[in-house]
Amino acid sequence: LSSQLASETARAEVVHQGMPLGWRLALYTVAIVTLVMGSVTAFQETKNTAYERHQMTEGPRSSLLPLAPRTEAAAGSREMKQDLLLFHQAYRQAGIDSRYITLAGPDDSVLFSTLPPEPQAAAYIRVDLPVTNNLLGPGAAVLSIYQDRAGWQAHIRSRWLRGVLHFVATLVSILLA
């Protein structure tokens, strides 16, 4: 009986040494939740960012689709420029000040542009659509729409920050529970 009591006492001493069991379980839980939730959150945000990047190019491209046939069918350069200007003004009236349009000839010379003077190419996401019109010369001209990159990047940073804050709040609530 005394050897059995000594064995149980030794086991009890081993268990009570170091960090308490509750804290060890909490830390293991936090570690597991961190790995699983962190991986899922990172995967989800990466997929969302890729989808939004696709939407950033497809949205402007689809907005150019009705303009391309009008540009191709224009009977004169004045009519063509008027259509392009009306297109740009429609965006501005809708409150979208960050989109600009250009028309470049087959030789890459800019025929029409609503871009600010000396634009920084890295500041914009550019989407091109080829158009043909005899007024523009032989070959395909390029109708381009530019979207301000800074606004999109700020949105992505904000969404990632919200994801990180949600993640941290979850971990803190587990530790406090």
Side-chain angles (χ1 to χ4, degrees), residues 116-153:
E118 300 181 27
Q120 300 293 325
Y124 298 99
I125 296 171
R126 177 180 166 180
V127 179
D128 297 331
L129 190 66
V131 293
T132 55
N133 185 313
N134 291 336
L135 296 171
L136 302 174
V142 178
L143 191 57
S144 302
I145 192 163
Y146 294 79
Q147 173 71 41
D148 182 20
R149 185 182 302 269
W152 180 75
Q153 288 174 331

Side-chain angles (χ1 to χ4, degrees), residues 22-38 167-177:
W23 277 103
R24 280 188 284 175
L25 290 174
L27 289 177
Y28 287 137
T29 302
V30 166
I32 291 169
V33 168
T34 299
L35 289 173
V36 172
M37 188 176 161
F167 179 71
V168 169
T170 301
L171 293 179
V172 169
S173 68
I174 290 171
L175 279 173
L176 295 176

Side-chain angles (χ1 to χ4, degrees), residues 105-128:
D107 60 352
D108 290 333
S109 62
V110 177
L111 305 172
F112 176 83
S113 176
T114 61
L115 279 168
E118 300 181 27
Q120 300 293 325
Y124 298 99
I125 296 171
R126 177 180 166 180
V127 179
D128 297 331

Side-chain angles (χ1 to χ4, degrees), residues 153-175:
Q153 288 174 331
H155 167 72
I156 295 300
R157 274 192 304 274
S158 169
R159 204 178 70 227
W160 271 92
L161 179 61
R162 285 191 312 268
V164 168
L165 289 175
H166 177 261
F167 179 71
V168 169
T170 301
L171 293 179
V172 169
S173 68
I174 290 171
L175 279 173

Side-chain angles (χ1 to χ4, degrees), residues 70-119:
R70 292 181 59 87
T71 303
E72 290 175 338
S77 63
R78 183 181 172 122
E79 178 186 347
M80 187 181 305
K81 289 179 181 180
Q82 185 65 27
D83 284 344
L84 297 171
L85 187 59
L86 287 173
F87 179 83
H88 177 69
Q89 287 174 345
Y91 269 112
R92 299 199 48 96
Q93 287 174 351
I96 303 172
D97 296 331
S98 61
R99 284 197 180 164
Y100 304 96
I101 189 167
T102 62
L103 177 65
D107 60 352
D108 290 333
S109 62
V110 177
L111 305 172
F112 176 83
S113 176
T114 61
L115 279 168
E118 300 181 27

